[in-house]
Amino acid sequence: MKCLVVGHVVRDVVKKGDNVLERLGGGAYYSALALSRFCDVEIFTSFSELPDEWIKELKSIGELHIVPSEETTTYELTYLDSNRRALKLLERASPLKGLPDGNYDIVIINPVAGEVPPALVAHAVGNFPLVAVDLQGFIRSPHPGEVGYLTLDGSFLKGVTVLHADVSEFQHLENFSPELVDVLLLSNGPEPGKAFLHGREYMFNSVRVDVDESTGAGDVFLGAFTGLYSQCPFVQALKRAVAFTALFLKKRHVDFPMEDVNRLAMEVEVKRV
C-alpha cells in the first residue's frame, strides 16, 4: 500500500527537571513512524533546517515532500510528570495548502500548529479511500507562545474514516457527532479511552507501562490503528493499536516483532457500552 502523512515535523525542546534535550517530533513524524510498519509511507511537511541525522531518520521512514520555509516548527515541552506537560510554540513553518500528486491508499492528516486548512480534509475525503485525522493541530492556536485552544466547527470532518483526539481536546469541537466519521478514537492518557464505530460506543483500557514521558503516544496510536484497520476488523485493530502504542512508549521505537504486539493485545479489553 502507498500512504501519505501530512503535517509539520517538529523540533522538540524537551525539559524534564534540569535536563534539556532537542529531538525530532511532531504528529506527522510519530504517525508516519507507526504507519511505516504497515505500508510504504510518504511525508508531506515543511521546515527550514533540521540536523542531518534527523533528515536521515525521516528518509528512512519514507519519501519526503517538503514545502520551503524560513522557519521550522519548534515546540518547548516542559514535563510536569510522565503524562502532564506545558506546551509552548516557539516557531511555525510554512502552511500546507495542497497535497502531492499521487494515488494513496491511506492519507493521515496530523497537523500540530494550524498548518493544514480544514478544506484540505474535505479534499482528501473526496479523493482517497481511507482518510485519518488527528484533531490536535486544528484546535491549537497557531501563534507563538503558550499553547491555547480554539473552538472549532467540526462539520468539516464529515466522511473521515478515522478521527483521533485526546478527551480534553475533543471538548473544543462543536457541531460534531460520532456518526459523522466511521471511527472516532478518544484517548485519555493511561486511563480507559472511548471509541465509536459508526456511532456505536465502546470502552477500551490502556496497557499500563512505566515511562518517563508520553510524547507521541496519541500520534503513534492513530498511525498504528489506521494501518491495522486497513487490514483487520475494528475490535482487533483497536486492541493491537493499544498494544503497539504501549510497546512504543516502553521502547521509544517501533522496531519490535508484531508477535509481541499480538501477545500484548490479549491484555486489552474492549467493551460495547
Side-chain angles (χ1 to χ4, degrees):
M1 290 192 301
K2 186 177 179 181
C3 304
L4 178 69
V5 179
V6 180
H8 285 171
V9 295
V10 172
R11 183 190 302 274
D12 277 340
V13 181
V14 183
K15 296 184 176 182
K16 301 178 187 176
D18 296 329
N19 298 320
V20 180
L21 63 92
E22 291 192 10
R23 68 179 181 208
L24 180 62
Y29 162 65
Y30 287 113
S31 286
L33 185 66
L35 189 62
S36 68
R37 290 297 307 270
F38 306 97
C39 62
D40 296 326
V41 170
E42 299 178 15
I43 304 172
F44 180 47
T45 190
S46 178
F47 57 83
S48 174
E49 294 182 2
L50 292 174
D52 290 343
E53 61 268 28
W54 294 7
I55 300 293
K56 183 177 179 181
E57 182 176 357
L58 288 170
K59 289 182 176 179
S60 73
I61 295 171
E63 180 182 352
L64 297 180
H65 302 274
I66 304 168
V67 175
S69 178
E70 295 183 357
E71 295 184 308
T72 296
T73 297
T74 303
Y75 273 104
E76 180 184 272
L77 298 82
T78 302
Y79 268 86
L80 309 176
D81 57 37
S82 60
N83 286 297
R84 296 184 303 128
R85 65 190 185 186
L87 200 61
K88 181 185 292 185
L89 178 62
L90 304 181
E91 290 184 4
R92 180 172 176 264
S94 298
L96 306 174
K97 297 180 179 180
L99 293 176
D101 292 332
N103 294 318
Y104 299 104
D105 300 291
I106 294 173
V107 174
I108 292 182
I109 300 175
N110 194 348
V112 290
E115 68 268 27
V116 176
L120 195 62
V121 174
H123 170 76
V125 167
N127 287 275
F128 303 104
L130 196 165
V131 177
V133 174
D134 198 289
L135 185 62
Q136 61 181 351
F138 289 101
I139 61 169
R140 287 179 183 172
S141 170
H143 306 296
E146 296 291 339
V147 171
Y149 293 93
L150 311 171
T151 299
L152 185 67
D153 185 331
S155 58
F156 77 97
L157 296 163
K158 183 178 181 180
V160 163
T161 310
V162 181
L163 174 65
H164 172 261
D166 181 90
V167 290
S168 61
E169 297 169 345
F170 188 68
Q171 298 173 7
H172 296 274
L173 200 59
E174 296 183 338
N175 298 324
F176 177 86
S177 65
E179 293 85 359
L180 288 181
V181 299
D182 287 1
V183 175
L184 171 63
L185 303 173
L186 296 179
S187 297
N188 193 20
E191 302 303 318
K194 294 182 180 182
F196 296 79
L197 176 64
H198 305 300
R200 300 189 301 272
E201 184 176 353
Y202 295 77
M203 296 287 291
F204 65 91
N205 66 292
S206 60
V207 177
R208 291 186 176 271
V209 289
D210 293 327
V211 296
D212 292 332
E213 59 167 297
S214 56
T215 303
D219 307 308
V220 166
F221 181 47
L222 174 61
F225 177 84
T226 302
L228 289 161
Y229 189 55
S230 70
Q231 302 174 0
C232 60
F234 166 76
V235 171
Q236 184 181 348
L238 183 55
K239 289 184 175 184
R240 294 173 71 192
V242 170
F244 190 104
T245 304
L247 288 172
F248 162 77
L249 288 174
K250 182 178 180 179
K251 300 174 181 293
R252 298 302 302 181
H253 64 74
V254 298
D255 298 325
F256 37 75
M258 290 305 294
E259 289 81 1
D260 291 354
V261 174
N262 296 338
R263 186 161 46 247
L264 189 58
M266 296 176 66
E267 300 179 18
V268 180
E269 185 179 11
V270 176
K271 297 189 298 183
R272 176 78 183 275
V273 176

